[in-house]
């Protein structure tokens, strides 16, 4: 008889192999064997996403692989989510994310959103071309712990600072962590505009969001 650990390993493998049909089947098999949905998520699929993240960092996986891994994770969650008890999978934190006004690039932002969701964050994705008011209102409405902004154009980078100033003016900066990312940005630029962190890629972004949440919880 197959052990729990063997089922978890098959779930991890399905994520790493980007096997959408396989993850659905194995997730259902896990439930049929009496394995709690929570354990299947945390010990199986989430650990598979961690492996995918490492492969991306090492250059073995590409952006397209990250996107597919996220879709595979979603497919597995569709099977397992109805069997999760309310509050069983605790949210890592609430994140509002968007690409700033004037910029319609969304591939990088979408990957970050997917990976954050897979890591257990509650993500509110505002899309692209997001203005100051929408960012501020969303942070207030969703009581966000983290605001994540993306810009792929040098001409839209300065808008990030406008958003940060608006957040300060609204009186909610002290309770919020801000992370920025995008090809033209740098660690130095992030510090200069008053952000708390800079993400050079999607995987780094998720890791930094986890660290920011550690600071929030202190």
């Amino acid at each position: 008889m197959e052990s729990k650990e063997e089922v978890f390993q098959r779930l991890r493998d399905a994520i790493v192999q980007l096997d959408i049909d396989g993850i659905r089947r194995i997730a259902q098999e896990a439930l049929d064997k009496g394995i709690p949905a929570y354990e299947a998520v945390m010990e199986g699929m989430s650990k598979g996403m961690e492996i995918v993240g490492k492969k991306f960092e090492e250059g073995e996986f590409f952006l397209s692989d990250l996107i597919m891994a996220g879709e595979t994770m979603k497919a597995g969650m569709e099977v397992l989510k109805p069997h999760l008890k309310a509050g069983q999978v605790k949210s890592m934190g609430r994140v509002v994310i968007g690409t700033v006004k004037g910029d319609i690039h969304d591939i990088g932002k979408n990957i970050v959103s997917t990976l954050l969701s897979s890591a257990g964050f509650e993500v509110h994705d505002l899309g692209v071309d997001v203005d100051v008011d929408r960012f501020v209102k969303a942070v207030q409405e969703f009581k966000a712990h983290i605001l994540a902004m993306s810009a792929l154009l040098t001409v839209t980078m300065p808008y990030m600072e406008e958003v940060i100033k608006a957040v300060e003016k609204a009186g909610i900066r002290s309770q919020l962590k801000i992370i920025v990312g995008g090809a033209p940005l740098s660690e130095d630029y992030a510090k200069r505009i008053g952000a708390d962190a800079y993400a050079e890629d999607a995987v780094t972004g998720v890791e930094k969001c986890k660290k920011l949440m550690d600071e929030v919880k202190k």
Side-chain angles (χ1 to χ4, degrees):
M1 186 177 172
E2 191 176 35
S3 69
K4 252 191 197 184
E5 180 52 40
E6 286 171 328
V7 176
F8 295 153
Q9 187 59 53
R10 286 205 290 136
L11 286 166
R12 290 175 210 136
D13 290 344
I15 294 284
V16 175
Q17 292 162 10
L18 316 177
D19 186 354
I20 290 179
D21 290 334
I23 199 77
R24 289 194 183 108
R25 185 184 68 254
I26 300 163
Q28 187 58 54
E29 286 175 11
L31 294 173
D32 293 343
K33 290 174 186 289
I35 295 173
Y38 174 76
E39 291 182 25
V41 172
M42 302 308 292
E43 296 300 321
M45 297 195 306
S46 291
K47 289 193 175 177
M49 284 301 295
E50 288 176 15
I51 295 168
V52 169
K54 285 174 185 171
K55 284 182 178 291
F56 178 72
E57 283 180 335
E58 292 163 2
E60 191 178 336
F61 269 19
F62 301 100
L63 286 180
S64 57
D65 298 312
L66 274 183
I67 294 169
M68 277 303 297
E71 291 302 312
T72 307
M73 179 83 179
K74 279 184 188 174
M77 284 301 294
E78 285 170 8
V79 176
L80 297 172
K81 198 168 185 178
H83 300 273
L84 290 169
K85 293 173 185 172
Q88 196 172 31
V89 178
K90 292 181 181 176
S91 169
M92 287 282 292
R94 293 181 295 277
V95 181
V96 165
I97 187 170
T99 302
V100 298
K101 187 176 179 180
D103 202 322
I104 57 169
H105 294 85
D106 67 353
I107 293 176
K109 172 192 65 64
N110 290 348
I111 293 169
V112 173
S113 290
T114 298
L115 292 183
L116 283 170
S117 295
S118 299
F121 284 89
E122 178 187 320
V123 181
H124 300 277
D125 191 338
L126 305 183
V128 299
D129 195 26
V130 183
D131 63 24
V132 166
D133 287 345
R134 280 184 64 208
F135 273 123
V136 173
K137 285 176 183 174
V139 167
Q140 292 171 321
E141 179 184 349
F142 299 116
K143 296 181 172 60
H145 299 108
I146 297 172
L147 170 60
M149 291 185 285
S150 171
L152 266 289
L153 302 171
T154 52
V155 292
T156 59
M157 284 166 54
Y159 201 76
M160 290 177 162
E161 188 171 11
E162 288 185 40
V163 175
I164 293 173
K165 286 178 179 175
V167 165
E168 290 170 352
K169 190 175 180 182
I172 53 176
R173 179 66 180 96
S174 62
Q175 65 208 52
L176 183 71
K177 295 296 181 182
I178 298 175
I179 183 169
V180 296
L185 277 69
S186 66
E187 191 86 47
D188 181 62
Y189 183 77
K191 286 178 183 174
R192 205 158 66 240
I193 63 173
D196 297 295
Y198 158 71
E200 61 187 31
D201 58 48
V203 174
T204 305
V206 174
E207 291 308 311
K208 291 202 174 179
C209 282
K210 288 178 182 177
K211 288 177 182 174
L212 290 174
M213 281 309 302
D214 287 340
E215 293 176 21
V216 169
K217 291 171 183 174
K218 282 180 182 176

